[in-house]
Amino acid sequence: MTDQLSRVFAALADPTRRDMVARLTEADHTVNELAAPYDVSVQAVSKHVKVLEEAGLVSRSREAQRRPVHLEAEVFDLMTKWIERYRRRAEERYAALDAVLARMQDEDGPSRTDQEGTAS
Amino acid sequence: MTDQLSRVFAALADPTRRDMVARLTEADHTVNELAAPYDVSVQAVSKHVKVLEEAGLVSRSREAQRRPVHLEAEVFDLMTKWIERYRRRAEERYAALDAVLARMQDEDGPSRTDQEGTAS
DNA sequence: GCATTGTTCAACCAGATGGTTGACAAGACG
DNA sequence: CGTCTTGTCAACCATCTGGTTGAACAATGC
């Protein structure tokens, strides 16, 4: 799990971390503020923030004792690109499959319509 | 980790599984075919497919002894929706912040640039 | 019926993950 | 100075994960 994309997906696999990301779209927050709504220790939240940080999803600045956590938007593009690439290819393939099936129904009789199993 | 979104993100956090998804955009494959390029046992690949299946990313039909693995495109929408929602909000906030900063530079001298902190 | 092929199940193991508590560093402030 | 707040680090624990091997199951082909 060394590459960034893996770290990003892994970070967002946790509902608590996704919720933190959601709240960080509204405003920056300190670790203590982030921890408030959840029924876990501040240390646990600190660990979550660290995971998000290593994934490049957030950054932290220093401001007196506080270390406000700030959401980084660029990483979302990384995910979007990955997803869009494969989604598009998958959809193209379905279109092609539909065409093939249509041609099959067209050409020969309706005798072998049971071949594709549960294919959509 | 009971909800689907968590399962989807967790499934894609593994590079091997992402690669399998990539290959499945080209064509359906059996577990044995999927296992070929990787240096792991067929059982391990079977486990990976199970993870993808429980995330709703793939489905399996039966075709003689074979159980071809088929990519499901709809789940990609689930991720895209989540990502897009927060990305848009994050970007809007940055735009607003930029506007605020520009106005501050405009209006009074550069004497109190430390005030906004974590205010919403 | 029996062997073959493709796939899954069960038990096990090492390492990662998410949580805990306790100690401690760094600033703010009385 | 001492103390309070904020946050991190370290050690520990239970559970999950990704891998292994060996056995079992399912469908087909002789």
Side-chain angles (χ1 to χ4, degrees):
Chain A
M1 219 231 287
T2 46
D3 62 299
Q4 182 172 20
L5 204 44
S6 295
R7 282 194 295 265
V8 172
F9 280 126
L12 295 178
D14 186 290
T16 302
R17 285 196 291 259
R18 277 206 308 283
D19 190 62
M20 294 201 284
V21 167
R23 291 168 57 208
L24 287 168
T25 58
E26 304 290 353
D28 291 357
H29 287 292
T30 66
V31 171
N32 271 291
E33 287 165 1
L34 282 175
Y38 314 123
D39 195 22
V40 296
S41 65
V42 178
Q43 290 94 322
V45 173
S46 181
K47 279 191 187 180
H48 279 309
V49 172
K50 194 176 186 182
V51 172
L52 291 172
E53 190 175 29
E54 281 167 355
L57 279 160
V58 305
S59 63
R60 276 132 132 186
S61 49
R62 178 163 282 286
E63 182 183 292
Q65 319 100 302
R66 288 175 185 76
R67 310 209 353 89
V69 180
H70 173 80
L71 189 65
E72 294 291 333
E74 304 95 59
V75 193
F76 285 72
D77 293 335
L78 195 66
M79 271 190 297
T80 306
K81 269 181 197 144
W82 189 90
I83 292 167
E84 281 306 306
R85 177 148 58 118
Y86 295 119
R87 187 170 64 150
R88 205 177 321 117
R89 281 163 61 182
E91 280 165 356
E92 280 163 12
R93 196 160 79 76
Y94 298 149
L97 179 63
D98 285 348
V100 167
L101 292 175
R103 218 179 313 125
M104 272 171 50
Q105 271 203 334
D106 229 45
E107 285 179 4
D108 57 19
S111 60
R112 42 210 283 276
T113 49
D114 59 333
Q115 263 203 330
E116 71 279 358
T118 62
S120 64
Chain B
M1 217 231 286
T2 43
D3 61 299
Q4 181 171 22
L5 203 45
S6 295
R7 281 194 295 264
V8 172
F9 279 126
L12 295 178
D14 186 289
T16 303
R17 285 195 291 259
R18 277 205 309 283
D19 190 62
M20 294 202 283
V21 167
R23 292 168 57 206
L24 286 168
T25 57
E26 304 290 353
D28 291 357
H29 287 293
T30 66
V31 171
N32 271 292
E33 287 164 2
L34 281 175
Y38 314 122
D39 196 22
V40 296
S41 65
V42 178
Q43 290 95 321
V45 173
S46 181
K47 279 192 187 179
H48 279 309
V49 172
K50 194 176 184 182
V51 172
L52 291 172
E53 191 175 28
E54 281 167 354
L57 279 160
V58 304
S59 62
R60 276 183 269 188
S61 50
R62 178 162 283 286
E63 183 182 292
Q65 317 99 306
R66 289 174 184 77
R67 306 199 14 78
V69 180
H70 173 80
L71 189 66
E72 294 292 334
E74 305 95 59
V75 192
F76 284 72
D77 292 336
L78 194 67
M79 271 190 296
T80 306
K81 270 181 196 145
W82 190 89
I83 294 168
E84 281 307 304
R85 178 148 59 119
Y86 295 120
R87 186 169 64 149
R88 204 176 321 118
R89 281 163 61 181
E91 280 165 356
E92 279 163 11
R93 196 160 78 78
Y94 299 150
L97 180 64
D98 283 350
V100 167
L101 291 174
R103 217 179 313 126
M104 273 171 48
Q105 270 203 335
D106 229 45
E107 285 178 4
D108 55 17
S111 60
R112 44 206 284 276
T113 49
D114 60 336
Q115 257 205 332
E116 72 280 1
T118 62
S120 63

